[in-house]
């Protein structure tokens, strides 16, 4: 399944908003480096973090077991389902659309996400 990604650091640097409906169109127009913006192919049973690494991406992680927030992303379109995780609140999952990529598999035909979301102000104190 195709997963289009964008680096949170780039969103921040450009002064873009994570909830901007045109965010990925802006990324297209900006001709960003493939480390900041691109598309991955992720198998239905494959963890998003593993797929990103297999394609040579250097995304943040720490525990690889749903126990920290280092690998967190904001899902802006589509769905990622997680195995058991102990780090995100119901509000962060249901309302802020945060997901952990080390325990997250694709659950929709296409997905757009912002990786590197550990730099969100709300998560800063919980990053390992
Ligand atoms: Fe710790 Fe994913 S790396 S939750």
């Amino acid at each position: 399944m195709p997963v289009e990604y964008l680096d949170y650091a780039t969103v921040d640097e450009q002064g873009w908003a994570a909830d901007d409906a045109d965010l990925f169109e802006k990324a297209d127009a900006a001709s960003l480096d493939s480390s900041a913006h691109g598309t991955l192919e992720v198998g239905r049973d494959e963890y998003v973090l593993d797929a990103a690494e297999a394609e040579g991406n250097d995304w943040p992680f720490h525990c690889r077991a749903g126990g920290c927030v280092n690998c967190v992303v904001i899902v802006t379109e589509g769905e990622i389902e997680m195995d058991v995780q102990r780090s995100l609140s119901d509000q962060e999952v249901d309302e802020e659309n945060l997901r952990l990529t080390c325990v997250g598999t694709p659950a929709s035909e296409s997905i757009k996400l912002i990786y590197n979301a550990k730099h969100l102000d709300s998560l800063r104190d919980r990053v390992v």
Side-chain angles (χ1 to χ4, degrees):
M1 269 148 264
V3 173
E4 187 174 355
Y5 60 86
L6 181 57
D7 185 353
Y8 183 82
T10 301
V11 174
D12 206 29
E13 281 163 17
Q14 299 280 345
W16 296 338
D19 60 356
D20 184 338
D22 296 328
L23 181 62
F24 281 80
E25 285 72 18
K26 288 178 178 171
D28 278 336
S31 301
L32 300 168
D33 186 88
S34 64
S35 64
H37 176 228
T39 302
L40 299 169
E41 192 58 33
V42 185
R44 184 166 288 282
D45 298 322
E46 188 175 21
Y47 291 131
V48 176
L49 178 62
D50 290 341
E53 291 174 335
E55 293 198 17
N57 293 282
D58 186 19
W59 289 10
F61 68 90
H62 182 71
C63 71
R64 304 190 81 97
C68 68
V69 293
N70 286 55
C71 69
V72 72
V73 299
I74 306 166
V75 175
T76 64
E77 188 178 307
E79 182 55 289
I80 290 175
E81 280 178 357
M82 292 183 286
D83 298 348
V84 173
Q85 62 87 19
R86 303 177 301 284
S87 307
L88 299 175
S89 67
D90 289 347
Q91 176 175 328
E92 287 170 334
V93 174
D94 297 335
E95 294 173 29
E96 299 172 30
N97 294 318
L98 302 185
R99 299 290 187 276
L100 301 173
T101 56
C102 71
V103 292
T105 52
S108 60
E109 288 307 312
S110 68
I111 294 167
K112 292 183 181 178
L113 62 78
I114 303 170
Y115 81 94
N116 219 1
K118 69 176 191 174
H119 294 296
L120 282 165
D121 288 344
S122 59
L123 298 178
R124 190 162 293 160
D125 295 343
R126 289 153 55 194
V127 171
V128 180

